[in-house]
């Protein structure tokens, strides 16, 4: 059978105030065509379907239109989606029974009974090939929050968060082993930060108490044929293992991701063995430009912007632009001068990044928009102003833990 692995769609995302609906719709249309052309048996979406826990109605409509098309054109296709750290577990789980009737399985969060035992069957999804023969079981484990884990029985030497995740995966894997036949494959899914993973600082949240809790690839048993991961936007293998992968996001979610090679991953299985893994590049529908190539004085930057030539495109197809300016001190009306140089050009100014002299590097943060600065940068600047120097490892870890708890509580509230 053939499966297609994708993740981190972030439907409803805005880039510095600009809607990405056009790009997302183009991706979903391309994806539906690719599923048909490649004769895919199962589509796996590894979390962060939406950009926020409360996505706009337009994002839900886009998702449901896509699902409706698949149900009509590929009725035998198995679809398994899990929630990510940006998603609301309860909102994704709400239409579960309805979608399940169309072989569309959406698992927003884990479920436990009154006795605290895991509802294994909710996360174990049987998938079949075109002949209707069940050929694999998907371990559809969504993003795991601290409250999902059971850590009471662990020793003090264990990292409770990491060990809690290991224990949960071990439990669900064992149940799957007991239900599978000898020729059926086990396919893992997860939305997490794995050790050795390369992240995009400005568009990916710290998860599971901060990145000091990066998960080892050993949480996935050796008899799992393929692991479809989500969370990191750069497509990559994990721990040099070909069968444990992030597919990456389908489009750049920050200007720093402009050079990513966005892709989906097609995996062919022969029984419980991987017969082939093929990344397929996703076409870029909207360009991202950086002017100049390296930071330059304002006068030179304005000259380059005035000389910039771009095609006359509709608003939603116009390229995004990041401008890098070298300054010796903050300049009044900087944005207005840049916009004046771009007057009449079919381009969307997304971001102006000032670069100051070494001695004013800390001041750089004070003159940037909050959306351009990570929580960690703000914390480090505040610490340095009050205590001098940088926070030590223990304090940085405590901050990461608090940040993770805050994001968990915001998701639950929403």
């Amino acid at each position: 059978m053939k499966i297609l692995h994708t993740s981190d769609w972030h439907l409803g995302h805005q880039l510095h105030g600009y809607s990405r609906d056009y790009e997302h719709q183009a991706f979903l249309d391309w994806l539906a065509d690719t599923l048909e052309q490649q004769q895919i048996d199962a589509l796996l979406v590894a979390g962060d379907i939406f950009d926020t826990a409360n996505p706009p109605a337009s994002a839900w409509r886009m998702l449901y239109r896509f699902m409706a098309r698949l149900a009509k054109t590929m009725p035998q296709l198995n679809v398994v989606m899990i929630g990510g750290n940006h998603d609301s577990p309860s909102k994704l789980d709400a239409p579960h029974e309805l979608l399940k009737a169309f072989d569309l399985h959406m698992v927003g969060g884990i479920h436990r009974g009154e006795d605290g035992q895991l509802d294994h069957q909710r996360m174990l999804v049987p998938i079949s090939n075109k002949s209707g023969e069940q050929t694999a079981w998907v371990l559809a484990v969504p993003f795991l929050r601290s409250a999902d884990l059971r850590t009471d029985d662990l020793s003090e030497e264990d990292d409770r968060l990491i060990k809690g995740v290991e224990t949960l995966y071990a439990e669900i894997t064992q149940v799957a082993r007991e239900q599978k036949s000898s020729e059926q494959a086990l396919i893992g899914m997860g939305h997490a930060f794995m050790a050795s993973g390369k992240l995009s600082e400005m568009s990916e949240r710290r998860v599971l108490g901060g990145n000091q809790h990066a998960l080892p690839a050993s949480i996935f048993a050796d008899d799992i044929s393929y692991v479809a991961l989500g969370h990191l936007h750069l497509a990559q293998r994990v721990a040099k293992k070909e069968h444990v992968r992030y597919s990456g996001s389908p489009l750049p979610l920050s200007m720093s991701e402009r050079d990513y090679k966005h892709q989906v991953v097609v995996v062919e299985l022969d029984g419980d063995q991987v017969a082939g893994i093929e990344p397929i590049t996703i076409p870029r529908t909207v360009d991202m430009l950086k002017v100049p190539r390296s930071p330059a004085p304002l006068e030179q930057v304005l000259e380059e912007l005035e000389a910039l030539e771009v095609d006359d495109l509709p608003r939603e197809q116009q390229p995004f632009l990041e401008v890098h300016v070298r300054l010796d001190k903050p300049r009044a009306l900087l944005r207005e001068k840049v916009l004046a140089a771009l007057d009449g050009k079919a381009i969307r100014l997304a971001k102006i990044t000032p670069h100051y002299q070494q001695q004013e590097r800390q001041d750089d943060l004070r003159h940037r928009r909050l959306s351009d600065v990570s929580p960690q940068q703000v914390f480090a600047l505040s610490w340095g102003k009050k205590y001098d120097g940088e926070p030590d490892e223990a304090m940085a870890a405590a901050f990461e833990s608090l940040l993770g708890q805050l994001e968990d509580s915001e998701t639950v509230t929403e």
Side-chain angles (χ1 to χ4, degrees), residues 11 25 55 66 69 72 87 131 138 149 151 162 167 226 229 231 253 258 289 318 366 369-370 381 387:
L11 301 180
Q25 189 60 61
F66 173 73
R69 173 177 172 176
K72 182 177 181 180
D87 297 313
S131 302
V138 176
L149 308 177
T151 59
I162 293 178
T167 300
Y226 181 80
L229 293 170
H231 179 56
L253 296 164
R258 68 169 64 83
L289 306 179
Q318 293 175 4
R366 299 194 191 101
R369 290 183 296 174
L370 189 59
L381 176 62
Y387 300 109

Side-chain angles (χ1 to χ4, degrees), residues 220-285:
F220 304 113
D222 291 339
D223 55 344
I224 295 180
S225 302
Y226 181 80
V227 180
L229 293 170
H231 179 56
L232 299 189
H233 300 166
L234 176 66
Q236 57 194 286
R237 297 174 299 164
V238 173
K240 299 181 180 180
K241 295 179 181 291
E242 289 291 335
H243 72 292
V244 183
R245 291 184 177 234
Y246 289 99
S247 65
S249 61
L251 51 93
L253 296 164
S254 74
M255 296 301 290
S256 64
E257 298 176 10
R258 68 169 64 83
D259 295 326
Y260 283 9
K261 306 301 181 185
H262 297 275
Q263 60 185 235
V264 297
V265 182
V266 173
V267 182
E268 190 164 359
L269 295 170
D270 183 4
D272 62 353
Q273 299 297 310
V274 174
I277 298 177
E278 178 191 5
I280 300 179
T281 301
I282 302 169
R284 179 80 57 91
T285 55

Side-chain angles (χ1 to χ4, degrees), residues 26 51 129 133 137 149 160 185 205 210 235 303 316 334 350:
D51 191 55
N129 60 18
E133 301 170 325
W137 289 88
L149 308 177
R160 291 181 175 272
R205 297 178 183 173
E303 289 178 5
E316 67 274 10
L334 176 61

Side-chain angles (χ1 to χ4, degrees), residues 93-122:
D93 281 335
H96 173 78
E97 295 301 325
L98 174 63
L99 297 178
K100 185 178 178 182
F102 296 93
D103 269 340
L104 307 172
H105 300 266
M106 188 178 290
V107 183
I110 70 167
H111 294 260
R112 295 183 183 273
E114 293 182 359
D115 58 358
Q117 297 300 307
L118 275 176
D119 182 353
H120 304 109
Q121 300 311 312
R122 183 68 176 270

